[in-house]
Structure formats: structure tokens, C-alpha cells
């Protein structure tokens, strides 16, 4: 076990307490690095089937890296990731996507040279013609703004519109697990509300969600569980009700860094952000 | 009318081959962002294999299966897997250099394996010379018939495939961001491997179809085919398949019709026919709006998954190591010079002088590409302009060579500026292609007149005399070259260190970024081309004076390609890199010259293959080795220091 000593009871005990909620995604001791720059140091947590989990932490904590490792964009250098009972640690990204785990990456993740509609059609790969038409309709229904710009090149959309398109791509079809990174980035507050409503809907329809979000309250309102990440390690993990106060204390609203009051545990291993020779 | 038809018909096989090759170019460009100039070499390989197999008595269709259906895609997929997969999101230069390396290395390899003996190519399907029927009074031969039929069938198949499977859309997605495509469940690797396989098949097919037109299977013919195909692809905006195909066919036909109507015997009629596609390419590149910037350099939105690339700027060294390496380099250079002057036998002195002269020409690439990040595939043409100026001035006005060098440099500079003007606002790939077409036009037309390249026999050029001292002897000339090279090197260093150098570094990094901090990008591009062409012109003039004669073939476009490949593989960012490249090239050339003639292509193979490493090590192999050695030296120095401290305390 690589987690700090100050953790509440280990994850396995809690899972025993709720035997009916098998984890859909199980991340165990994952480490990851960008070339010589190490970013994750033994991250473990799980996403129970049918539930939403919030992944929060200060800037540079490694949230995006966790999302990338899960969806196969970045290879874990150690540890295992299991999805739906299968180990997917070494699977290529396309295979993970086809298994029903979709990832909406941070930022403007659209194909800039393709039209809005072409972007959506690509995201709807593998469904028949009718289902595709329906899904397109749903997407345009959720984001009316996009409907008016069907044939526009995605690269010429405004920043917020591009963000809408990236979310529309992953919300168009029901999936097993949705990993969204920085939902509200660049979106007007009203649109953020709509997006969170849409996520609640698909959650009710059976999709599990792992959500990374800077607006901690919003994320906590949606999620049943919270994982607090800092310096590439899991600091706290547990049901929202239990650890929300602690998370709010460690990660005050608007703070870009961890609140290092005396109660916050010091990181073992010194400065993890510094490049280390391979 | 019947005369017109008789001119059109021979153009059809050319047109079909151009169209096929162009379709391949567009397909790979769309699917992997690489403009694969190596298709010329791949077409050559298929043609050679086909010819060998048929000569060995294999039935035509088996030979076809093996050389085109099997070998061609295999080569393409192999290249994609081991090389071009890594260049997908790289800047244009990084994509171009390995392709050029292959364009040179592959034919060299083939020549090495099968020797230089001329091979009479065989034709596919029908017997080439037999006349099957007449069209408006003109005979239609088996050659024309079979190329047309095969090309049309293959193209229809491709169109059906792209239409029905949504593959076109997936390809466009993959080229923009293979990783984001994977997030949508698309197997990016497969999509690009498939595109490479299909387009290499097209290239191979074009090669086999076109081979019988030429008297022998010769790599140069296939490079010409390649450039014509590039022109066709440009007509289609590097994107539209129908326009590309149409462009290819029309180009082939118009080229023959022009040749038919021009008066025979003039430079224009003999030169314009081969040069016509290049002229079209130049016109299309400059005039088509959609090609401005060609491939939108939007970048992969998921590039953040990659670790940061190593910096090109050499790391700061410990003072001891920095000083030590300078002293070492200085001593080494001095030793080399002294040995060269005292010990080296006569023919090697010539080789070394040649290497240093070439270094001057190579420094022009350091200026343009190393400092300014611009691509040019006509540096040999600039050098040629300088060389011919020196020769003509000496022949007609008795102008001293050193003065001639200045004028030649000035003339080349003017041409450089003129070439730079139409490239303004063009993207890297288009600039490369435009300069290539300029080089080809110069080879085929401009340099053939007696007032420029001296006509068929070339020009004779004297060795310089300065203030009564003659530099005619080879050792005197050697020292003159050493001094001139030192001066040019110094100038390049000063240029790099000064304000202009910093602005050039800015546009090398990002033209848009540079413009946003107030750098006049257009002016700088012209400046870079002008200065670089001036350096090349001086180098070319020196080269002519060294050889004591010069002819257009000395500055053929192929040299431009070879120059870029050689400098990029040795080290394009430093003055030392250019000098090492010049010496390495001529010394290797001399060594290989001592081997039996079948090994003459070893040089192209060596540098072509080294250029492939450019993808990983854009700083060049020698520079890479130097950094490696300095790293080790630094480690050692640290160790020693620690030892000392430990001993002291
Ligand atoms: N491509 C990369 N190369 C090197 N280091 C990287 C790269 N991408 C991220 N990192 C480093 O990895 C660490 C984790 O980054 P990550 O993007 O996962 O943080 P994050 O939690 O998503 O932050 P934010 O809230 O700012 O989005 C950071 O220290 C970052 O500097
Ligand atoms: Mg992030």
C-alpha cells in the first residue's frame, strides 16, 4: 500500500461493506511519467458501477495524467487498471474506447479541420444509421448552439463552442464509463449547469462518471465519492458526505495550491515534480 | 486535328502514371501529413523488380503480383512503421528530410544490389509497340491502351473504397490527431498503414506502367515522374482526389502537345517539355489560395501527452569542460590544417580543398535552414548562378576571380531574393516544392543557354590571382579557400549572434509567434534567402575556380537534394556542422571512388540512411556525438572534483 498513513480505512474494507457495488473501474498502484518527468506515484482508487466519482486536487496534482492513463493515452509504468473485471493496463486507447470507456480530454479536443457534424459522426462510430441519426439529434438538442453550426469547421468555433462540441461528442451515446476532464473550463455558467444536468441524466441512465473539475462544489454535488489527489498521490478517498469537509479545508474554493495548514500531511519522498534521470 | 490527336495519344500513358502517383501522394498526405517524395524511388523499385522478374522468365502477371501488389505496399507499410509514424505531427522540415534521404538512399541501394547494368524494361499487359486500332488516323499502341485501362480501373476501385467505408473521414481525423482518433475507437495505426500501403501500391503501379516508355530503367526518370505527380497533386490542392487525377492526365497530355508544336532543336523545345510540369507546379503553388499554408499547422490537441522535446540549445557546460572542449577543438583543427598542408598527397589535397569549398556552399544551408528554419531545395542552383557568373566574367571581360566571386555572390543573392518573393505566405512544404521546381526549370532551361551555363561544353574558369600573387597551385589555392571559409564562417556566426540572427531564430520557432512580437516575417524570409543565396553563390564560384571548369551538370537539382540531406544529417544548426559535412562528403566520395564502380552509390546510401536519424536527432549525428562526448566529459570532471574535495577534507 503506497497511500499515506493518515488515510481512513483502506478501500477494500469499504467495498466489503457494500458488496452490491462492484467497482467498474479499479486503479491500483498506478505510476506514470512523461519521459524523465514522473507525475504519478502509486495512485489507487475505484469507480463503483453506476456512480459518479469526483477527482479533485490542486493544479499539477496529476488529475489529467490519471485520466490519460485510464483511457490509454499514456502508458502506466507500474500498477494495474481494471475495467469491468478485465485488466486494460496495456490496452491501446482505441480498444479501451471500444470497450465503452470514453474520455473527454482537457481543453479543445475537437478535430479542427473537420466540420461540427463530422466530429460528431466520428464519435458515433460503430452504431447503425438510425441510432446515429438519433444520437445526432440528441446532441443537437442538448447543445442547440451547435445545431446552428453543423457545417462550420470545428477549428473556427469559439473556445466555448469547441468545448461544447467536445462534450457533445462524449454525451451523444450511452457508454459504460465517462471520464471528463475539466468540464466547466471556458464555458458560461449557464452552460455548465446544462452540462451537469446532462451528466446527471446519463448517470441515471446507467453510465458511470469520473469527473475532474476545478469547481469543487459542483463536482461534489454530482459525485457520490471523492478522490483528492496532490503531488501525484491520493491524499484522501471516500464517500462525499464523509470527506467533503476535509476536502474543502485542504482545497479552499479558488485555491490553486494545497492549503498547507499544519493538519495537512507532508509528502514523503521530497520533490516529486523535479525531473529525475531514468 | 489528326496531328493534334497524334500529339495527345503519347501523352496519355504519362498522364495516367502521373495521376496514379499523384493519387498516392495525396492519400499519404491526407492520412499521415507526410508528403512522401520517396514515392519516386518506390516506383523505381517496383519497375526494377518487375523488369528483373520478367527477364528471369516469370509470367508477366506473376511478376506484376510480386513487384506491384506485394512488394510495393510492403515497402510503404515498412516505411510508415519504422519512420513516418514518428513524423506525423513534426514540422515540415522533419518530414521532408527523411523522405529526401529515402529518395536518394533507395535507388543507391538498388544499384548496389543489382549493379549498374542497363535494363530494358518490360511492359505490362499488352505488347507495347503493337498497334491495336486507330483513333482519328493515329495509331493506338498497346502501351497507351494498357496504361489507360489499368489506371482507370484502379482509380475507380479506390474511389469506391473511400466512399463506402467512411475511410476518408477517418484518415482526415487520424492525420490531425492520431490519439484523439483512438479515443473515438479508431485504430490510427491501421488507418495510416493502410493509406501507406495503398499509396505505395499506386506508386509502384505508376512505375511499372511508365517504365517501358523510357529506354532503360533509370532512377532519374522516376524522380521526374515524381515531380510531375507533385504538380498534379498541387492542382488538386493536396486534397481533392478528382482534381488531382484530372490534373495528372492533363499535365501528361499538354506536355506532349507542347513538345509537338514547339520548333524542334531549340533550348525551349528540348528543355520545356521536361520542365513543363515544374512550371505548372510553380504557378499552381503561387496562385492557389488554398495552398497558402497548405496543411493547417493546427497541431495535435493531445500533444500534451508527450514529454517536452529536448532543447536544441546546447546545455550550459561546466566552465572547465567548455574551455577544455574549445581548446581541444582548436588544437584539432590546427593539427588537421598543418597535416593537410605538409603531409597529405596531391590528390587528397584536392579532395580536402573540395571539401572546404563545399563547406562554403553548405554554410548557405546553415544560414537559411539552421538559422531561419526555411526550406530550400535549390541551393545548388544558387551556387550554379555564382559559378557561371565567375566563369562568364572571366571569359568575356577578364574579370579577376575574386571580384567575380563578389559579383557572383551578388547575382545569386538577387536570384535568392526573387525566389523568396513568391514564397511569402507559403507554408514550409510549399516553399520546398516551389524551390525544387525553380531548380528544375533552371536545369532544363535557364542553365542550358550559352550565355549562362556555357552551352554543352561548359565554361573554363581560371584560378585567382591577387595583387600579382597567383593561387594557381593547388596548395596556394587550398590556403586561399581556408581563409575565405574562415571569413564566411565568421560572417555566419556574427549573423547568428546578432539581431537578425535572433529574429531568424524567432521565425524558426514560430512564424506566427514571431509576427506577434513585431518581427517582420516576410522581410526576414527574403533576407534569409538573399544571404543564403549569396553564400551559395560565392561557394559555387570557388567550386568552379577549383575545378577550373564548370558545366550545368555540376549544379543539377539532385545536388540540391543531396546537399540538404548531407547537412541535415551531419548538423544543420552549427557552422562546424557545415564544415564537417563538406569534409565528410568529399572524403567519403574519394574513398568510394577507389572502390569498384558498382559501389559508387554507397555514398547516397550512407547519407540517405543517416538522414533518417534526423527525425530523432534534428541536431545531426556529429552534433549529437559532440553533446554526448561533452556530457561524458562533464561527468568525469564532476567525479574528479568530488574526488578532490573528498581528498581535501
Ligand atoms: N507533457 C508533459 N511533459 C512533462 N511533464 C508533464 C506533462 N504533462 C504534465 N506534466 C506534469 O505532470 C504533473 C501533473 O500534470 P497534470 O496535467 O496531470 O495535472 P492536473 O492535475 O491535471 O493539473 P490542472 O489542474 O492544472 O489541470 C505536473 O507537474 C505537470 O507539470
Ligand atoms: Mg488537468
Amino acid at each position: 500500500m503506497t497511500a499515506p498513513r493518515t488515510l481512513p480505512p483502506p478501500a477494500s474494507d469499504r467495498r466489503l461493506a457494500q458488496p452490491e457495488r462492484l467497482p467498474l473501474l479499479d486503479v491500483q498502484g498506478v505510476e506514470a511519467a512523461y519521459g524523465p518527468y514522473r507525475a504519478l506515484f502509486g495512485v489507487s482508487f475505484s469507480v463503483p458501477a453506476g456512480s459518479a466519482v469526483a477527482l479533485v486536487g490542486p493544479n499539477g496534482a496529476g488529475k489529467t495524467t490519471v485520466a490519460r492513463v485510464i483511457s490509454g493515452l499514456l502508458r502506466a509504468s507500474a500498477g494495474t487498471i481494471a475495467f469491468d473485471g478485465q485488466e486494460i493496463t496495456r490496452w491501446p486507447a482505441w480498444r479501451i474506447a471500444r470497450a465503452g470507456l470514453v474520455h473527454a480530454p482537457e481543453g479543445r479536443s475537437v478535430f479542427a479541420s473537420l466540420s461540427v457534424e463530422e466530429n460528431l459522426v466520428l464519435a458515433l462510430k460503430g452504431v447503425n444509421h438510425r441510432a446515429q441519426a438519433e444520437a445526432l439529434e440528441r446532441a443537437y438538442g442538448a447543445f442547440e448552439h451547435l445545431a446552428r453550426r453543423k457545417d462550420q469547421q470545428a477549428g473556427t468555433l469559439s473556445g466555448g463552442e469547441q468545448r461544447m462540441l467536445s462534450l457533445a461528442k462524449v454525451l451523444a451515446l450511452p457508454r459504460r464509463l465517462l471520464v471528463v476532464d475539466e468540464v466547466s473550463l471556458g464555458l458560461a455558467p449557464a452552460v455548465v449547469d446544462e452540462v451537469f444536468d446532462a451528466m446527471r441524466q446519463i448517470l441515471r441512465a446507467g453510465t458511470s462518471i469520473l469527473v475532474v473539475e476545478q469547481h469543487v462544489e459542483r463536482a461534489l454535488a454530482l459525485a457520490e465519492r471523492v478522490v483528492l489527489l496532490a503531488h501525484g498521490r491520493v491524499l484522501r478517498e471516500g464517500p462525499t458526505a464523509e470527506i467533503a469537509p476535509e476536502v474543502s479545508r485542504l482545497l479552499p474554493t479558488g485555491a490553486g495550491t494545497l492549503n498547507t495548514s499544519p493538519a495537512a500531511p507532508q509528502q514523503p519522498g521530497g520533490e516529486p515534480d523535479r525531473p529525475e534521470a531514468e | 486535328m489528326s496531328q493534334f490527336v497524334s500529339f495527345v495519344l503519347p501523352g496519355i500513358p504519362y498522364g495516367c502514371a502521373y495521376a496514379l502517383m499523384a493519387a498516392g501522394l495525396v492519400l499519404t498526405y491526407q492520412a499521415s501529413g507526410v508528403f512522401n517524395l520517396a514515392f519516386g524511388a518506390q516506383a523505381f523499385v517496383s519497375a526494377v523488380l518487375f523488369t528483373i522478374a520478367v527477364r528471369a522468365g516469370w509470367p508477366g502477371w506473376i511478376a506484376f503480383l510480386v513487384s506491384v501488389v506485394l512488394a510495393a505496399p510492403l515497402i510503404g507499410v515498412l516505411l510508415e512503421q519504422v519512420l513516418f509514424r514518428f513524423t506525423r505531427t513534426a514540422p515540415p522540415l522533419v518530414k521532408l528530410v527523411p523522405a529526401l534521404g529515402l529518395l536518394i538512399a533507395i535507388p543507391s541501394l538498388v544499384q548496389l544490389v543489382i549493379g549498374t547494368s542497363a535494363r530494358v524494361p518490360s511492359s505490362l499487359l499488352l505488347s507495347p509497340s503493337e498497334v491495336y486500332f486507330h483513333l482519328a488516323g493515329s495509331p493506338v499502341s498497346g502501351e497507351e491502351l494498357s496504361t489507360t485501362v489499368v489506371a482507370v480501373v484502379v482509380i475507380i476501385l479506390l474511389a469506391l473504397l473511400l466512399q463506402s467505408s467512411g475511410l476518408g473521414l477517418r484518415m482526415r481525423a487520424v492525420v490531425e490527431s492520431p490519439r484523439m482518433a483512438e479515443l473515438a475507437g479508431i485504430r490510427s495505426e491501421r488507418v495510416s498503414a493502410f493509406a501507406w500501403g495503398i499509396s505505395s501500391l499506386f506508386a509502384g503501379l505508376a512505375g511499372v506502367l511508365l517504365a517501358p516508355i523510357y529506354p532503360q530503367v533509370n532512377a532519374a526518370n522516376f524522380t521526374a515522374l515524381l515531380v510531375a505527380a507533385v504538380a498534379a497533386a498541387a492542382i488538386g490542392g493536396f486534397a481533392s482526389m478528382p482534381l488531382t487525377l484530372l490534373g495528372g492526365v492533363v499535365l501528361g497530355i499538354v506536355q506532349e502537345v507542347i513538345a509537338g508544336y514547339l520548333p524542334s532543336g531549340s533550348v525551349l523545345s528540348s528543355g520545356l517539355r521536361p520542365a513543363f510540369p515544374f512550371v505548372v507546379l510553380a504557378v499552381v503553388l503561387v496562385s492557389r489560395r488554398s495552398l497558402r499554408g497548405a496543411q493547417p499547422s493546427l497541431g495535435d490537441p493531445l500533444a500534451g501527452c508527450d514529454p517536452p522535446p529536448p532543447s536544441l540549445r546546447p546545455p550550459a557546460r561546466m566552465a572547465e569542460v567548455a574551455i577544455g572542449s574549445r581548446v581541444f577543438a582548436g588544437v584539432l583543427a590546427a593539427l588537421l590544417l598543418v597535416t593537410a598542408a605538409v603531409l597529405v598527397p596531391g590528390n587528397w589535397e584536392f579532395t580536402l580543398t573540395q571539401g572546404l569549398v563545399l563547406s562554403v556552399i553548405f554554410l548557405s544551408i546553415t544560414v537559411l535552414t539552421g538559422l531561419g528554419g526555411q526550406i530550400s531545395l535549390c541551393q545548388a542552383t544558387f551556387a550554379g548562378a555564382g559559378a557561371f557568373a565567375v566563369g562568364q566574367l572571366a571569359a568575356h571581360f577578364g574579370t579577376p576571380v575574386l571580384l567575380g566571386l563578389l559579383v557572383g555572390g551578388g547575382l545569386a543573392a538577387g536570384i535568392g531574393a526573387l525566389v523568396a518573393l513568391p514564397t511569402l505566405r507559403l507554408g514550409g512544404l510549399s516553399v520546398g516544392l516551389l524551390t525544387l521546381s525553380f531548380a528544375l526549370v533552371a536545369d532544363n532551361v535557364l542553365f542550358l543557354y550559352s550565355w549562362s551555363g556555357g552551352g554543352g561544353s561548359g565554361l573554363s574558369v581560371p584560378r585567382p590571382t591577387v595583387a600579382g600573387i597567383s593561387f594557381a597551385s593547388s596548395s596556394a589555392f587550398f590556403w586561399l579557400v581556408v581563409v575565405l571559409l574562415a571569413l564566411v564562417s565568421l560572417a555566419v556566426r556574427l549573423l547568428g549572434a546578432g539581431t537578425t540572427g535572433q529574429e531568424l531564430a524567432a521565425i524558426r520557432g514560430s512564424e506566427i509567434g514571431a509576427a506577434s512580437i513585431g518581427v517582420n516575417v516576410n522581410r526576414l524570409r527574403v533576407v534569409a534567402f538573399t544571404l543564403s543565396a549569396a553564400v551559395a553563390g560565392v561557394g559555387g564560384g570557388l567550386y568552379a575556380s577549383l575545378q577550373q571548369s564548370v558545366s550545368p551538370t555540376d549544379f543539377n537539382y539532385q545536388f540540391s537534394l543531396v546537399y540538404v540531406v548531407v547537412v541535415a544529417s551531419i548538423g544543420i544548426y552549427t557552422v562546424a556542422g557545415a564544415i564537417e559535412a563538406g569534409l565528410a562528403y568529399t572524403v567519403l566520395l574519394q574513398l568510394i571512388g577507389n572502390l569498384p564502380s558498382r559501389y559508387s552509390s554507397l555514398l547516397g546510401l550512407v547519407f540517405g540512411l543517416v538522414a533518417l536519424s534526423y527525425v530523432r536527432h534534428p541536431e545531426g549525428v556529429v552534433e549529437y556525438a559532440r553533446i554526448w562526448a561533452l556530457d561524458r566529459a562533464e561527468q568525469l570532471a564532476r567525479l574528479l572534483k568530488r574526488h578532490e574535495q573528498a581528498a581535501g577534507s
Side-chain angles (χ1 to χ4, degrees):
Chain A
M1 202 63 194
T2 41
R5 251 173 273 119
T6 43
L7 258 184
S12 52
D13 291 7
R14 285 200 307 281
R15 231 177 289 138
L16 282 179
Q18 302 169 301
E20 74 285 0
R21 304 289 292 275
L22 282 171
L24 176 65
L25 180 78
D26 197 20
V27 177
Q28 284 302 330
V30 161
E31 316 218 333
Y34 298 93
Y37 303 89
R38 298 183 60 187
L40 297 184
F41 305 82
V43 168
S44 307
F45 69 95
S46 60
V47 179
S51 74
V53 173
L55 185 58
V56 298
N59 287 139
K63 306 179 295 292
T64 299
T65 310
V66 167
R68 283 172 180 163
V69 171
I70 292 173
S71 66
L73 285 177
L74 195 68
R75 189 77 17 118
S77 50
T80 58
I81 303 166
F83 178 60
D84 204 10
Q86 272 177 301
E87 185 177 333
I88 59 166
T89 322
R90 312 232 144 253
W91 283 19
W94 60 266
R95 195 163 162 210
I96 295 175
R98 287 186 189 182
L101 193 167
V102 287
H103 175 193
E106 194 175 33
R108 307 173 181 185
S109 48
V110 297
F111 294 106
S113 64
L114 306 187
S115 72
V116 168
E117 179 130 343
E118 283 171 330
N119 264 285
L120 289 169
V121 167
L122 271 177
L124 300 175
K125 201 181 159 297
V127 299
N128 65 29
H129 233 69
R130 244 206 24 231
Q132 185 171 322
E134 280 171 17
L136 276 180
E137 202 148 301
R138 252 199 322 270
Y140 289 136
F143 298 94
E144 280 163 33
H145 208 85
L146 294 178
R148 289 194 294 274
R149 302 182 175 273
K150 272 182 201 173
D151 298 317
Q152 191 173 333
Q153 268 207 350
T156 63
L157 294 174
S158 81
E161 288 166 342
Q162 292 190 22
R163 195 63 201 138
M164 279 184 219
L165 180 55
S166 348
L167 292 170
K169 288 203 297 192
V170 295
L171 293 173
L173 274 189
R175 320 274 187 165
R176 306 291 311 280
L177 174 66
L178 173 60
V179 180
V180 265
D181 198 351
E182 306 285 14
V183 187
S184 60
L185 194 78
L187 292 179
V191 182
V192 178
D193 288 339
E194 278 172 36
V195 172
F196 270 87
D197 283 345
M199 289 205 288
R200 281 203 182 83
Q201 257 178 37
I202 65 164
L203 189 61
R204 268 196 299 274
T207 301
S208 312
I209 301 179
L210 177 65
V211 57
V212 176
E213 175 59 54
Q214 297 290 355
H215 292 270
V216 176
E217 315 82 58
R218 268 208 168 102
L220 296 193
L222 174 81
E224 292 153 42
R225 297 178 67 81
V226 185
V227 178
L228 172 61
L229 210 64
H231 300 299
R233 292 176 169 86
V234 175
L235 222 56
R236 297 279 186 282
E237 186 205 356
T240 309
E242 250 175 57
I243 65 167
E246 203 175 351
V247 168
S248 310
R249 186 176 56 74
L250 287 171
L251 205 66
T253 313
T257 52
L258 212 59
N259 184 359
T260 44
S261 62
Q266 233 16 71
Q267 285 313 299
E271 309 138 278
D273 297 344
R274 283 262 303 281
E276 290 160 37
E278 274 172 306
Chain B
M1 180 62 203
S2 76
Q3 191 195 17
F4 181 72
V5 171
S6 76
F7 290 150
V8 166
L9 283 179
I12 291 179
Y14 284 103
C16 288
Y18 294 170
L20 279 174
M21 177 86 102
L25 279 173
V26 171
L27 203 60
T28 32
Y29 187 58
Q30 288 293 313
S32 64
V34 173
F35 205 74
N36 184 21
L37 295 175
F39 277 148
Q42 288 173 251
F44 171 65
V45 171
S46 283
V48 167
L49 286 180
F50 182 70
T51 310
I52 293 178
V54 170
R55 291 272 166 270
W58 296 16
W61 65 274
I62 294 189
F64 176 76
L65 275 185
V66 171
S67 65
V68 175
V69 181
L70 219 65
L74 215 64
I75 296 173
V77 173
L78 188 76
L79 292 182
E80 196 268 343
Q81 284 294 311
V82 303
L83 190 63
F84 289 113
R85 174 153 87 98
F86 304 106
T87 67
R88 225 170 313 190
T89 48
L93 186 69
V94 179
K95 289 177 180 166
L96 203 60
V97 167
L100 285 176
L102 286 172
L103 186 62
I104 293 163
I106 292 179
S108 308
L109 183 66
V110 170
Q111 198 187 329
L112 204 63
V113 174
I114 65 167
T116 46
S117 58
R119 275 150 208 287
V120 182
S122 329
S123 111
L124 189 63
L125 283 188
L126 308 170
S127 128
S129 45
E130 193 172 328
V131 173
Y132 285 81
F133 56 87
H134 284 76
L135 200 74
S138 300
V140 177
S141 73
E143 171 65 36
E144 282 141 21
L145 213 56
S146 60
T147 40
T148 315
V149 170
V150 171
V152 169
V153 167
V154 166
I155 299 246
I156 290 177
L157 285 180
L158 175 76
L160 286 178
L161 184 75
L162 289 185
Q163 269 299 284
S164 65
S165 60
L167 194 64
L169 183 59
R170 272 183 277 159
M171 282 183 183
R172 281 158 63 205
V174 169
V175 68
E176 200 178 316
S177 170
R179 277 185 284 235
M180 211 154 66
E182 297 230 326
L183 287 186
I186 296 166
R187 302 183 67 164
S188 301
E189 300 268 310
R190 270 216 186 160
V191 170
S192 18
F194 181 80
W196 275 86
I198 290 281
S199 30
S200 300
L201 180 100
F202 276 36
L205 190 58
V208 169
L209 286 179
L210 203 59
I213 296 178
Y214 299 112
Q216 65 178 69
V217 188
N218 176 334
N221 292 335
F222 292 89
T223 311
L225 159 69
L226 171 80
V227 179
V230 171
I235 292 175
F238 300 139
S240 155
M241 211 42 109
L243 271 181
T244 300
L245 295 172
L246 190 72
V249 173
V250 168
L251 213 59
I253 292 174
V254 173
Q255 179 187 352
E256 292 304 303
V257 171
I258 287 182
Y261 282 113
L262 275 179
S264 59
S266 69
V267 168
L268 264 188
S269 81
S270 65
L272 195 58
R273 201 189 75 86
F276 176 67
F278 323 140
V279 177
V280 171
L281 173 62
V283 171
V284 172
L285 281 174
V286 174
S287 61
R288 259 196 88 126
R289 282 200 69 86
S290 63
L291 292 185
R292 298 270 157 85
Q295 180 98 62
S297 52
L298 300 157
D300 182 350
L302 293 183
C305 297
D306 290 324
S311 161
L312 276 178
R313 183 177 286 278
R317 298 285 175 194
M318 286 168 63
E320 292 90 334
V321 176
I323 296 169
S325 75
R326 292 234 164 141
V327 171
F328 179 72
V331 169
L332 196 68
L335 268 179
L336 275 179
L337 273 181
V338 171
T339 355
V342 182
L343 286 178
V344 166
N347 64 333
W348 277 96
E349 189 168 54
F350 182 83
T351 305
L352 288 184
T353 316
Q354 204 179 23
L356 295 182
V357 170
L358 211 54
S359 304
V360 178
I361 300 181
F362 285 179
L363 276 172
S364 76
I365 298 176
T366 311
V367 170
L368 189 67
T369 313
L371 295 182
Q374 307 294 316
I375 298 173
S376 158
L377 300 180
C378 64
Q379 293 303 105
T381 310
F382 294 149
F388 298 140
V390 172
Q392 297 281 6
L393 284 174
H396 291 285
F397 307 105
T399 316
V401 170
L402 281 194
L403 186 60
L405 283 178
L406 283 185
V407 177
L411 177 75
I415 297 176
L418 282 182
V419 170
L421 285 179
T423 72
L424 297 180
R425 269 173 305 168
L426 286 183
L429 170 66
S430 300
V431 177
L433 295 177
L434 190 67
T435 49
L436 178 63
S437 60
F438 171 67
L440 285 157
V441 170
D443 283 353
N444 285 292
V445 184
L446 298 180
F447 282 175
L448 296 187
Y449 291 98
S450 56
W451 52 260
S452 63
S457 55
L459 296 160
S460 68
V461 185
R463 290 274 173 87
T465 308
V466 183
I469 308 166
S470 164
F471 288 93
S473 82
S474 53
S475 58
F477 192 76
F478 173 79
W479 287 108
L480 179 70
V481 170
V482 168
V483 170
L484 287 178
L485 175 61
L487 286 178
V488 175
S489 304
L490 189 69
V492 173
R493 281 219 71 148
L494 289 179
L495 176 72
T499 327
T500 312
Q502 283 176 355
E503 288 184 339
L504 285 173
I507 65 169
R508 185 180 71 210
S510 154
E511 297 209 343
I512 297 172
S516 73
I517 55 167
V519 174
N520 185 341
V521 172
N522 286 347
R523 186 185 69 87
L524 268 178
R525 194 181 267 190
V526 175
V527 167
F529 265 92
T530 309
L531 293 178
S532 160
V535 173
V538 171
L542 268 182
Y543 190 83
S545 179
L546 168 74
Q547 309 270 2
Q548 293 178 288
S549 76
V550 63
S551 76
T553 47
D554 289 331
F555 297 104
N556 183 300
Y557 78 96
Q558 292 187 350
F559 286 106
S560 296
L561 306 188
V562 172
Y563 289 174
V564 170
V565 166
V566 171
V567 181
S569 50
I570 299 288
I572 208 163
Y573 294 102
T574 56
V575 168
I579 296 172
E580 286 150 4
L583 288 174
Y585 183 79
T586 43
V587 168
L588 264 183
L589 190 68
Q590 177 73 20
L591 287 177
I592 287 169
N594 295 335
L595 297 175
S597 72
R598 69 174 290 164
Y599 295 108
S600 63
S601 59
L602 214 51
L603 189 67
L605 186 62
V606 169
F607 281 108
L609 291 181
V610 174
L612 303 190
S613 73
Y614 187 73
V615 174
R616 285 282 169 81
H617 298 295
E619 70 272 31
V621 285
V622 172
E623 195 59 26
Y624 175 71
R626 182 162 28 226
I627 291 173
W628 185 87
L630 285 180
D631 280 346
R632 296 293 92 80
E634 204 166 58
Q635 272 177 5
L636 196 70
R638 270 220 193 91
L639 214 68
L640 286 178
K641 226 179 200 174
R642 217 171 287 158
H643 208 73
E644 250 167 49
Q645 278 168 1
S649 66

